[in-house]
Short mmCIF file of all heavy atoms in Angstrom, two decimals:
data_model
loop_
_atom_site.label_atom_id
_atom_site.label_comp_id
_atom_site.label_asym_id
_atom_site.label_seq_id
_atom_site.Cartn_x
_atom_site.Cartn_y
_atom_site.Cartn_z
N SER A 104 24.83 -14.73 30.13
CA SER A 104 25.34 -14.78 31.59
C SER A 104 26.79 -15.61 31.54
O SER A 104 26.91 -16.41 30.68
CB SER A 104 24.42 -15.44 32.55
OG SER A 104 23.23 -14.71 32.59
N ASP A 105 27.54 -15.18 32.44
CA ASP A 105 28.88 -15.94 32.54
C ASP A 105 28.79 -17.18 33.31
O ASP A 105 27.57 -17.46 33.90
CB ASP A 105 29.95 -14.98 33.05
CG ASP A 105 29.73 -14.51 34.53
OD1 ASP A 105 28.85 -15.13 35.24
OD2 ASP A 105 30.36 -13.55 34.93
N ILE A 106 29.77 -17.91 33.47
CA ILE A 106 29.71 -19.22 34.24
C ILE A 106 29.24 -19.05 35.65
O ILE A 106 28.55 -19.93 36.16
CB ILE A 106 31.07 -19.98 34.19
CG1 ILE A 106 31.41 -20.36 32.73
CG2 ILE A 106 31.11 -21.08 35.11
CD1 ILE A 106 32.78 -20.96 32.58
N ALA A 107 29.59 -17.98 36.26
CA ALA A 107 29.24 -17.67 37.64
C ALA A 107 27.78 -17.23 37.81
O ALA A 107 27.24 -17.04 38.87
CB ALA A 107 30.06 -16.62 38.22
N GLY A 108 27.16 -16.97 36.64
CA GLY A 108 25.74 -16.71 36.63
C GLY A 108 25.46 -15.11 36.60
O GLY A 108 24.33 -14.62 36.67
N ASN A 109 26.52 -14.31 36.40
CA ASN A 109 26.39 -12.88 36.35
C ASN A 109 25.75 -12.53 34.97
O ASN A 109 26.38 -12.83 33.95
CB ASN A 109 27.76 -12.19 36.41
CG ASN A 109 28.40 -12.45 37.74
OD1 ASN A 109 27.79 -12.29 38.83
ND2 ASN A 109 29.58 -12.93 37.77
N PRO A 110 24.63 -11.87 34.97
CA PRO A 110 23.91 -11.50 33.65
C PRO A 110 24.50 -10.26 33.13
O PRO A 110 24.82 -9.35 33.77
CB PRO A 110 22.51 -11.39 34.11
CG PRO A 110 22.51 -10.90 35.48
CD PRO A 110 23.77 -11.47 36.18
N ALA A 111 24.71 -10.22 31.85
CA ALA A 111 25.11 -9.03 31.07
C ALA A 111 23.93 -8.13 31.00
O ALA A 111 22.68 -8.45 31.17
CB ALA A 111 25.63 -9.39 29.76
N VAL A 112 24.23 -6.78 30.67
CA VAL A 112 23.18 -5.80 30.45
C VAL A 112 22.66 -6.23 28.97
O VAL A 112 23.48 -6.20 28.02
CB VAL A 112 23.73 -4.33 30.48
CG1 VAL A 112 22.60 -3.47 29.98
CG2 VAL A 112 24.20 -4.07 31.84
N PRO A 113 21.38 -6.53 28.86
CA PRO A 113 21.00 -6.86 27.48
C PRO A 113 21.20 -5.79 26.47
O PRO A 113 21.08 -4.56 26.82
CB PRO A 113 19.45 -7.17 27.63
CG PRO A 113 19.28 -7.39 29.15
CD PRO A 113 20.33 -6.63 29.86
N VAL A 114 21.40 -6.15 25.19
CA VAL A 114 21.69 -5.11 24.26
C VAL A 114 20.61 -5.37 23.04
O VAL A 114 20.11 -6.49 22.87
CB VAL A 114 23.07 -5.42 23.57
CG1 VAL A 114 23.24 -4.45 22.37
CG2 VAL A 114 24.10 -5.05 24.55
N THR A 115 20.16 -4.20 22.47
CA THR A 115 19.05 -4.28 21.52
C THR A 115 19.35 -3.59 20.23
O THR A 115 20.10 -2.63 20.20
CB THR A 115 17.75 -3.56 22.10
OG1 THR A 115 17.34 -4.25 23.28
CG2 THR A 115 16.67 -3.61 21.12
N ARG A 116 18.99 -4.22 19.19
CA ARG A 116 19.08 -3.64 17.76
C ARG A 116 17.66 -3.34 17.39
O ARG A 116 16.77 -4.11 17.41
CB ARG A 116 19.76 -4.44 16.77
CG ARG A 116 20.15 -3.79 15.50
CD ARG A 116 20.50 -4.76 14.38
NE ARG A 116 21.24 -5.83 14.76
CZ ARG A 116 22.68 -5.79 14.99
NH1 ARG A 116 23.26 -4.61 14.74
NH2 ARG A 116 23.35 -6.88 15.34
N ILE A 117 17.40 -2.15 16.84
CA ILE A 117 16.17 -1.84 16.20
C ILE A 117 16.13 -2.06 14.75
O ILE A 117 17.02 -1.73 14.02
CB ILE A 117 15.80 -0.35 16.49
CG1 ILE A 117 15.68 -0.03 18.04
CG2 ILE A 117 14.54 0.11 15.80
CD1 ILE A 117 15.63 1.53 18.32
N VAL A 118 15.20 -2.80 14.30
CA VAL A 118 15.07 -3.14 12.93
C VAL A 118 13.74 -2.65 12.43
O VAL A 118 12.62 -3.02 12.87
CB VAL A 118 15.10 -4.75 12.70
CG1 VAL A 118 14.99 -4.99 11.17
CG2 VAL A 118 16.39 -5.33 13.23
N ASN A 119 13.87 -1.66 11.45
CA ASN A 119 12.61 -1.06 10.87
C ASN A 119 12.33 -1.69 9.51
O ASN A 119 13.16 -1.60 8.59
CB ASN A 119 12.84 0.50 10.67
CG ASN A 119 13.03 1.11 12.00
OD1 ASN A 119 12.23 1.18 12.94
ND2 ASN A 119 14.24 1.86 12.11
N VAL A 120 11.23 -2.43 9.40
CA VAL A 120 10.77 -2.95 8.02
C VAL A 120 9.93 -1.86 7.39
O VAL A 120 8.94 -1.48 7.95
CB VAL A 120 9.95 -4.25 8.30
CG1 VAL A 120 9.49 -4.79 6.87
CG2 VAL A 120 10.89 -5.32 9.00
N ILE A 121 10.43 -1.43 6.23
CA ILE A 121 9.80 -0.27 5.63
C ILE A 121 9.39 -0.46 4.15
O ILE A 121 9.92 -1.45 3.51
CB ILE A 121 10.75 0.99 5.61
CG1 ILE A 121 11.99 0.70 4.90
CG2 ILE A 121 11.02 1.43 7.16
CD1 ILE A 121 12.97 1.87 4.82
N ILE A 122 8.50 0.46 3.62
CA ILE A 122 8.21 0.41 2.18
C ILE A 122 9.41 0.84 1.33
O ILE A 122 10.12 1.73 1.66
CB ILE A 122 6.93 1.22 2.05
CG1 ILE A 122 5.76 0.72 2.66
CG2 ILE A 122 6.75 1.46 0.46
CD1 ILE A 122 5.15 -0.47 2.09
N ASP A 123 9.55 0.17 0.20
CA ASP A 123 10.59 0.57 -0.72
C ASP A 123 9.97 1.58 -1.69
O ASP A 123 9.20 1.24 -2.62
CB ASP A 123 11.09 -0.67 -1.51
CG ASP A 123 12.31 -0.44 -2.43
OD1 ASP A 123 12.55 0.83 -2.55
OD2 ASP A 123 12.90 -1.24 -2.98
N LEU A 124 10.35 2.84 -1.49
CA LEU A 124 9.78 4.00 -2.31
C LEU A 124 10.74 4.44 -3.44
O LEU A 124 10.41 5.40 -4.01
CB LEU A 124 9.55 5.16 -1.34
CG LEU A 124 8.37 4.84 -0.33
CD1 LEU A 124 8.33 6.19 0.56
CD2 LEU A 124 7.00 4.68 -0.94
N ARG A 125 11.83 3.78 -3.55
CA ARG A 125 12.86 4.17 -4.51
C ARG A 125 12.37 4.25 -5.93
O ARG A 125 12.51 5.38 -6.61
CB ARG A 125 14.07 3.29 -4.46
CG ARG A 125 14.85 3.37 -3.11
CD ARG A 125 15.94 2.40 -2.99
NE ARG A 125 15.47 1.02 -3.04
CZ ARG A 125 16.21 -0.11 -3.03
NH1 ARG A 125 17.55 0.02 -3.05
NH2 ARG A 125 15.67 -1.27 -3.12
N GLU A 126 11.71 3.40 -6.40
CA GLU A 126 11.28 3.33 -7.78
C GLU A 126 10.07 4.39 -8.02
O GLU A 126 10.02 4.97 -8.99
CB GLU A 126 10.69 1.99 -8.18
CG GLU A 126 10.42 1.73 -9.73
CD GLU A 126 10.00 0.46 -10.11
OE1 GLU A 126 10.02 -0.48 -9.20
OE2 GLU A 126 9.76 0.23 -11.30
N LEU A 127 9.33 4.51 -7.03
CA LEU A 127 8.11 5.47 -7.11
C LEU A 127 8.77 6.83 -7.02
O LEU A 127 8.34 7.81 -7.76
CB LEU A 127 7.16 5.32 -5.98
CG LEU A 127 6.03 6.25 -5.98
CD1 LEU A 127 5.16 6.17 -7.29
CD2 LEU A 127 5.03 5.91 -4.80
N ASN A 128 9.66 7.12 -6.19
CA ASN A 128 10.26 8.51 -6.03
C ASN A 128 10.94 8.79 -7.50
O ASN A 128 10.93 9.98 -7.83
CB ASN A 128 11.28 8.53 -5.00
CG ASN A 128 10.70 8.77 -3.56
OD1 ASN A 128 9.68 9.41 -3.58
ND2 ASN A 128 11.22 8.21 -2.65
N ALA A 129 11.65 7.84 -8.10
CA ALA A 129 12.29 8.09 -9.38
C ALA A 129 11.21 8.41 -10.41
O ALA A 129 11.45 9.32 -11.28
CB ALA A 129 13.15 6.98 -9.77
N ALA A 130 10.19 7.68 -10.44
CA ALA A 130 9.14 7.90 -11.40
C ALA A 130 8.40 9.28 -11.24
O ALA A 130 8.19 9.91 -12.21
CB ALA A 130 8.13 6.83 -11.41
N ILE A 131 8.22 9.75 -9.98
CA ILE A 131 7.63 11.00 -9.76
C ILE A 131 8.57 12.06 -10.23
O ILE A 131 8.16 13.12 -10.88
CB ILE A 131 7.26 11.16 -8.23
CG1 ILE A 131 6.25 10.22 -7.81
CG2 ILE A 131 7.02 12.61 -7.86
CD1 ILE A 131 5.85 10.18 -6.33
N ALA A 132 9.87 12.01 -9.88
CA ALA A 132 10.88 13.03 -10.27
C ALA A 132 10.92 13.13 -11.76
O ALA A 132 10.92 14.22 -12.29
CB ALA A 132 12.23 12.70 -9.66
N ALA A 133 10.96 11.96 -12.47
CA ALA A 133 11.06 12.08 -13.95
C ALA A 133 9.71 12.58 -14.49
O ALA A 133 9.80 13.48 -15.56
CB ALA A 133 11.24 10.65 -14.48
N ALA A 134 8.64 12.25 -14.04
CA ALA A 134 7.34 12.69 -14.51
C ALA A 134 7.22 14.22 -14.34
O ALA A 134 6.79 14.96 -15.22
CB ALA A 134 6.24 11.94 -14.00
N GLN A 135 7.55 14.70 -13.15
CA GLN A 135 7.45 16.09 -12.84
C GLN A 135 8.38 16.93 -13.67
O GLN A 135 7.98 18.03 -14.16
CB GLN A 135 7.75 16.27 -11.25
CG GLN A 135 7.39 17.74 -10.85
CD GLN A 135 5.77 17.91 -10.83
OE1 GLN A 135 5.09 17.27 -10.05
NE2 GLN A 135 5.32 18.81 -11.68
N ALA A 136 9.54 16.45 -13.92
CA ALA A 136 10.50 17.12 -14.74
C ALA A 136 10.00 17.28 -16.17
O ALA A 136 10.02 18.33 -16.87
CB ALA A 136 11.84 16.47 -14.70
N LYS A 137 9.42 16.21 -16.68
CA LYS A 137 8.90 16.21 -18.05
C LYS A 137 7.68 17.20 -18.10
O LYS A 137 7.53 17.95 -19.11
CB LYS A 137 8.42 14.83 -18.43
CG LYS A 137 7.93 14.70 -19.93
CD LYS A 137 7.63 13.25 -20.33
CE LYS A 137 7.15 13.25 -21.74
NZ LYS A 137 8.23 13.55 -22.65
N HIS A 138 6.81 17.19 -17.09
CA HIS A 138 5.62 18.01 -17.02
C HIS A 138 6.09 19.46 -17.05
O HIS A 138 5.59 20.31 -17.86
CB HIS A 138 4.84 17.72 -15.84
CG HIS A 138 3.69 18.66 -15.57
ND1 HIS A 138 3.90 19.90 -15.03
CD2 HIS A 138 2.34 18.65 -15.94
CE1 HIS A 138 2.67 20.52 -14.91
NE2 HIS A 138 1.73 19.76 -15.51
N ASP A 139 7.02 19.75 -16.25
CA ASP A 139 7.39 21.16 -16.06
C ASP A 139 8.16 21.81 -17.25
O ASP A 139 8.25 22.97 -17.44
CB ASP A 139 8.28 21.34 -14.72
CG ASP A 139 7.53 20.99 -13.45
OD1 ASP A 139 6.26 20.99 -13.55
OD2 ASP A 139 8.11 20.81 -12.48
N SER A 140 8.84 20.83 -17.99
CA SER A 140 9.55 21.40 -19.18
C SER A 140 8.70 21.33 -20.49
O SER A 140 9.16 21.58 -21.50
CB SER A 140 10.69 20.49 -19.33
OG SER A 140 10.47 19.22 -19.60
N SER A 141 7.46 20.96 -20.35
CA SER A 141 6.54 20.81 -21.53
C SER A 141 5.64 22.02 -21.69
O SER A 141 5.30 22.65 -20.76
CB SER A 141 5.84 19.50 -21.50
OG SER A 141 6.65 18.37 -21.31
N PHE A 142 5.29 22.21 -22.95
CA PHE A 142 4.32 23.34 -23.24
C PHE A 142 3.11 22.79 -24.07
O PHE A 142 3.29 21.86 -24.91
CB PHE A 142 5.05 24.42 -24.08
CG PHE A 142 6.19 25.04 -23.24
CD1 PHE A 142 7.36 24.56 -23.34
CD2 PHE A 142 5.88 26.11 -22.46
CE1 PHE A 142 8.47 25.22 -22.67
CE2 PHE A 142 6.97 26.72 -21.74
CZ PHE A 142 8.20 26.25 -21.95
N GLU A 143 1.98 23.26 -23.77
CA GLU A 143 0.71 22.90 -24.49
C GLU A 143 0.57 23.91 -25.74
O GLU A 143 0.95 25.01 -25.72
CB GLU A 143 -0.45 22.99 -23.65
CG GLU A 143 -0.49 21.97 -22.54
CD GLU A 143 -1.75 21.98 -21.73
OE1 GLU A 143 -2.50 23.04 -21.79
OE2 GLU A 143 -2.02 21.02 -21.03
N GLY A 144 -0.10 23.43 -26.75
CA GLY A 144 -0.38 24.19 -27.97
C GLY A 144 -0.53 23.43 -29.15
O GLY A 144 -0.66 22.09 -29.06
N THR A 145 -0.70 24.00 -30.26
CA THR A 145 -0.91 23.24 -31.54
C THR A 145 0.38 23.31 -32.43
O THR A 145 0.29 22.78 -33.58
CB THR A 145 -2.06 23.96 -32.29
OG1 THR A 145 -1.66 25.32 -32.57
CG2 THR A 145 -3.32 23.83 -31.52
N LEU A 146 1.42 23.81 -31.97
CA LEU A 146 2.63 23.86 -32.78
C LEU A 146 3.42 22.57 -32.57
O LEU A 146 3.31 21.86 -31.57
CB LEU A 146 3.50 25.01 -32.33
CG LEU A 146 2.93 26.43 -32.47
CD1 LEU A 146 3.83 27.49 -32.00
CD2 LEU A 146 2.39 26.69 -34.00
N THR A 147 4.17 22.22 -33.56
CA THR A 147 5.10 21.10 -33.43
C THR A 147 6.01 21.19 -32.22
O THR A 147 6.64 22.22 -31.87
CB THR A 147 6.04 21.04 -34.73
OG1 THR A 147 5.24 20.88 -35.94
CG2 THR A 147 6.94 19.83 -34.64
N GLY A 148 6.01 20.08 -31.51
CA GLY A 148 6.82 19.95 -30.31
C GLY A 148 6.13 20.34 -28.98
O GLY A 148 6.58 20.16 -27.89
N GLN A 149 4.86 20.86 -29.15
CA GLN A 149 4.07 21.09 -28.06
C GLN A 149 3.13 19.92 -27.78
O GLN A 149 2.98 19.01 -28.59
CB GLN A 149 3.23 22.32 -28.30
CG GLN A 149 4.04 23.58 -28.43
CD GLN A 149 3.26 24.86 -28.65
OE1 GLN A 149 2.17 24.84 -29.23
NE2 GLN A 149 3.93 26.00 -28.23
N TYR A 150 2.39 19.96 -26.56
CA TYR A 150 1.52 18.89 -26.21
C TYR A 150 0.06 19.31 -26.32
O TYR A 150 -0.22 20.58 -26.22
CB TYR A 150 1.81 18.37 -24.85
CG TYR A 150 3.16 17.67 -24.87
CD1 TYR A 150 4.38 18.38 -24.64
CD2 TYR A 150 3.30 16.28 -24.96
CE1 TYR A 150 5.57 17.78 -24.53
CE2 TYR A 150 4.52 15.69 -24.95
CZ TYR A 150 5.70 16.39 -24.76
OH TYR A 150 6.83 15.73 -24.72
N ALA A 151 -0.83 18.49 -26.48
CA ALA A 151 -2.30 18.75 -26.68
C ALA A 151 -2.83 19.59 -25.59
O ALA A 151 -2.37 19.36 -24.36
CB ALA A 151 -3.10 17.41 -26.83
N LEU A 152 -3.72 20.46 -25.96
CA LEU A 152 -4.32 21.29 -24.84
C LEU A 152 -4.98 20.53 -23.85
O LEU A 152 -5.74 19.64 -24.10
CB LEU A 152 -5.25 22.37 -25.53
CG LEU A 152 -4.64 23.31 -26.56
CD1 LEU A 152 -5.80 24.13 -27.19
CD2 LEU A 152 -3.68 24.26 -25.82
N GLY A 153 -4.73 20.86 -22.55
CA GLY A 153 -5.36 20.04 -21.40
C GLY A 153 -4.70 18.90 -20.94
O GLY A 153 -4.98 18.24 -19.91
N SER A 154 -3.66 18.50 -21.77
CA SER A 154 -2.90 17.21 -21.43
C SER A 154 -2.07 17.44 -20.13
O SER A 154 -1.82 16.43 -19.36
CB SER A 154 -2.00 16.81 -22.58
OG SER A 154 -1.04 17.69 -22.95
N LYS A 155 -1.47 18.55 -19.90
CA LYS A 155 -0.68 18.73 -18.71
C LYS A 155 -1.43 18.66 -17.47
O LYS A 155 -0.93 18.10 -16.41
CB LYS A 155 0.06 20.11 -18.82
CG LYS A 155 1.19 20.16 -19.89
CD LYS A 155 2.01 21.37 -19.78
CE LYS A 155 2.78 21.44 -18.48
NZ LYS A 155 3.68 22.67 -18.45
N ALA A 156 -2.67 19.16 -17.43
CA ALA A 156 -3.46 19.00 -16.27
C ALA A 156 -3.73 17.57 -15.85
O ALA A 156 -3.58 17.21 -14.66
CB ALA A 156 -4.82 19.78 -16.49
N SER A 157 -3.99 16.76 -16.87
CA SER A 157 -4.21 15.29 -16.56
C SER A 157 -2.96 14.66 -16.01
O SER A 157 -2.95 13.75 -15.19
CB SER A 157 -4.70 14.59 -17.81
OG SER A 157 -5.97 15.16 -18.24
N PHE A 158 -1.77 14.98 -16.63
CA PHE A 158 -0.58 14.47 -16.22
C PHE A 158 -0.19 14.89 -14.86
O PHE A 158 0.24 14.06 -14.06
CB PHE A 158 0.54 15.03 -17.32
CG PHE A 158 1.86 14.38 -17.21
CD1 PHE A 158 2.02 13.09 -16.61
CD2 PHE A 158 2.97 14.90 -17.79
CE1 PHE A 158 3.30 12.48 -16.50
CE2 PHE A 158 4.22 14.25 -17.72
CZ PHE A 158 4.38 13.09 -16.97
N GLN A 159 -0.45 16.16 -14.50
CA GLN A 159 -0.15 16.58 -13.12
C GLN A 159 -1.06 15.93 -12.10
O GLN A 159 -0.52 15.67 -11.00
CB GLN A 159 -0.35 18.15 -13.02
CG GLN A 159 0.02 18.67 -11.67
CD GLN A 159 1.51 18.46 -11.41
OE1 GLN A 159 2.37 18.85 -12.17
NE2 GLN A 159 1.88 17.81 -10.29
N LEU A 160 -2.27 15.61 -12.51
CA LEU A 160 -3.20 14.88 -11.66
C LEU A 160 -2.63 13.51 -11.19
O LEU A 160 -2.54 13.06 -10.12
CB LEU A 160 -4.53 14.75 -12.20
CG LEU A 160 -5.61 13.97 -11.35
CD1 LEU A 160 -5.81 14.54 -10.02
CD2 LEU A 160 -6.88 13.86 -12.14
N ALA A 161 -2.03 12.82 -12.28
CA ALA A 161 -1.43 11.53 -12.07
C ALA A 161 -0.24 11.63 -11.15
O ALA A 161 -0.02 10.77 -10.28
CB ALA A 161 -1.16 10.91 -13.46
N ILE A 162 0.63 12.67 -11.31
CA ILE A 162 1.71 12.90 -10.59
C ILE A 162 1.38 13.10 -9.10
O ILE A 162 1.89 12.59 -8.17
CB ILE A 162 2.54 14.07 -11.03
CG1 ILE A 162 3.18 13.75 -12.40
CG2 ILE A 162 3.67 14.45 -10.04
CD1 ILE A 162 3.76 14.91 -13.06
N ASP A 163 0.25 13.95 -8.86
CA ASP A 163 -0.18 14.18 -7.52
C ASP A 163 -0.74 12.98 -6.86
O ASP A 163 -0.50 12.76 -5.60
CB ASP A 163 -1.25 15.32 -7.52
CG ASP A 163 -0.67 16.67 -7.96
OD1 ASP A 163 0.52 16.87 -7.87
OD2 ASP A 163 -1.45 17.57 -8.38
N LEU A 164 -1.41 12.10 -7.56
CA LEU A 164 -1.94 10.93 -7.13
C LEU A 164 -0.70 10.00 -6.59
O LEU A 164 -0.81 9.33 -5.52
CB LEU A 164 -2.83 10.14 -8.07
CG LEU A 164 -4.08 10.78 -8.44
CD1 LEU A 164 -4.87 10.12 -9.48
CD2 LEU A 164 -5.06 10.83 -7.16
N ALA A 165 0.22 9.89 -7.37
CA ALA A 165 1.46 8.99 -6.99
C ALA A 165 2.07 9.64 -5.75
O ALA A 165 2.57 8.92 -4.90
CB ALA A 165 2.40 9.09 -8.23
N LYS A 166 2.22 10.96 -5.66
CA LYS A 166 2.69 11.63 -4.42
C LYS A 166 1.88 11.27 -3.16
O LYS A 166 2.42 11.11 -2.13
CB LYS A 166 2.92 13.07 -4.62
CG LYS A 166 3.95 13.58 -5.63
CD LYS A 166 3.88 15.07 -5.74
CE LYS A 166 5.05 15.51 -6.73
NZ LYS A 166 5.05 16.95 -6.95
N ALA A 167 0.61 11.21 -3.44
CA ALA A 167 -0.27 10.94 -2.31
C ALA A 167 -0.06 9.47 -1.79
O ALA A 167 0.01 9.19 -0.62
CB ALA A 167 -1.73 11.09 -2.67
N VAL A 168 0.14 8.57 -2.73
CA VAL A 168 0.49 7.13 -2.29
C VAL A 168 1.81 7.13 -1.62
O VAL A 168 2.00 6.50 -0.60
CB VAL A 168 0.56 6.23 -3.60
CG1 VAL A 168 1.02 4.94 -3.19
CG2 VAL A 168 -0.80 6.15 -4.20
N ARG A 169 2.81 7.84 -2.09
CA ARG A 169 4.15 7.89 -1.48
C ARG A 169 4.08 8.44 -0.06
O ARG A 169 4.70 7.93 0.82
CB ARG A 169 5.07 8.76 -2.29
CG ARG A 169 6.50 8.92 -1.73
CD ARG A 169 7.11 10.08 -2.30
NE ARG A 169 6.51 11.34 -2.07
CZ ARG A 169 6.82 12.46 -2.67
NH1 ARG A 169 7.88 12.49 -3.64
NH2 ARG A 169 6.17 13.60 -2.49
N ASP A 170 3.28 9.53 0.15
CA ASP A 170 3.24 10.18 1.43
C ASP A 170 2.31 9.57 2.41
O ASP A 170 2.19 9.96 3.62
CB ASP A 170 2.81 11.62 1.30
CG ASP A 170 3.88 12.37 0.44
OD1 ASP A 170 5.06 11.94 0.35
OD2 ASP A 170 3.49 13.42 -0.26
N ASP A 171 1.47 8.67 2.06
CA ASP A 171 0.49 7.99 2.90
C ASP A 171 1.17 6.81 3.73
O ASP A 171 1.66 5.83 3.19
CB ASP A 171 -0.60 7.36 2.14
CG ASP A 171 -1.67 6.90 3.03
OD1 ASP A 171 -1.55 6.81 4.19
OD2 ASP A 171 -2.84 6.44 2.52
N ALA A 172 1.31 7.04 5.02
CA ALA A 172 1.97 6.02 5.86
C ALA A 172 1.33 4.67 5.81
O ALA A 172 1.96 3.66 6.25
CB ALA A 172 2.03 6.47 7.31
N ALA A 173 -0.04 4.62 5.41
CA ALA A 173 -0.68 3.41 5.39
C ALA A 173 -0.59 2.69 4.12
O ALA A 173 -1.04 1.51 3.98
CB ALA A 173 -2.18 3.69 5.77
N SER A 174 0.22 3.20 3.15
CA SER A 174 0.26 2.62 1.83
C SER A 174 1.06 1.27 1.99
O SER A 174 1.97 1.24 2.72
CB SER A 174 1.01 3.49 0.85
OG SER A 174 0.25 4.54 0.54
N THR A 175 0.65 0.23 1.14
CA THR A 175 1.29 -0.95 1.20
C THR A 175 2.33 -0.97 0.06
O THR A 175 2.33 -0.16 -0.87
CB THR A 175 0.33 -2.14 1.00
OG1 THR A 175 -0.33 -2.08 -0.27
CG2 THR A 175 -0.76 -2.08 2.03
N GLN A 176 3.21 -2.00 0.01
CA GLN A 176 4.15 -2.11 -1.04
C GLN A 176 3.50 -2.44 -2.48
O GLN A 176 3.88 -1.85 -3.43
CB GLN A 176 5.16 -3.21 -0.71
CG GLN A 176 6.33 -3.34 -1.80
CD GLN A 176 7.22 -2.05 -1.64
OE1 GLN A 176 7.73 -1.80 -0.63
NE2 GLN A 176 7.37 -1.33 -2.78
N SER A 177 2.37 -3.06 -2.36
CA SER A 177 1.54 -3.34 -3.53
C SER A 177 1.02 -2.12 -4.15
O SER A 177 0.99 -1.82 -5.34
CB SER A 177 0.44 -4.34 -3.29
OG SER A 177 -0.31 -4.53 -4.35
N GLN A 178 0.47 -1.27 -3.34
CA GLN A 178 -0.09 0.06 -3.73
C GLN A 178 1.01 0.91 -4.27
O GLN A 178 0.79 1.68 -5.27
CB GLN A 178 -0.75 0.67 -2.54
CG GLN A 178 -2.05 0.06 -2.02
CD GLN A 178 -2.59 0.64 -0.89
OE1 GLN A 178 -1.94 1.06 0.03
NE2 GLN A 178 -3.94 0.64 -0.68
N VAL A 179 2.20 1.02 -3.64
CA VAL A 179 3.34 1.67 -4.12
C VAL A 179 3.68 1.23 -5.58
O VAL A 179 3.89 1.94 -6.52
CB VAL A 179 4.51 1.67 -3.22
CG1 VAL A 179 5.76 2.25 -3.88
CG2 VAL A 179 4.20 2.38 -1.96
#
Side-chain angles (χ1 to χ4, degrees):
S104 296
D105 62 18
I106 292 176
N109 299 307
V112 175
V114 173
T115 299
R116 187 192 325 276
I117 297 172
V118 179
N119 299 302
V120 178
I121 61 174
I122 293 289
D123 186 353
L124 296 172
R125 293 173 295 178
E126 189 175 2
L127 181 57
N128 281 328
I131 290 172
Q135 192 68 67
K137 184 177 182 65
H138 172 278
D139 295 346
S140 63
S141 301
F142 297 93
E143 293 182 345
T145 58
L146 300 177
T147 298
Q149 295 179 334
Y150 292 84
L152 296 174
S154 60
K155 288 190 67 175
S157 298
F158 192 16
Q159 186 61 58
L160 177 60
I162 295 171
D163 291 342
L164 289 174
K166 289 179 179 178
V168 171
R169 178 196 62 190
D170 297 338
D171 187 352
S174 291
T175 66
Q176 188 65 59
S177 178
Q178 289 171 327
V179 168

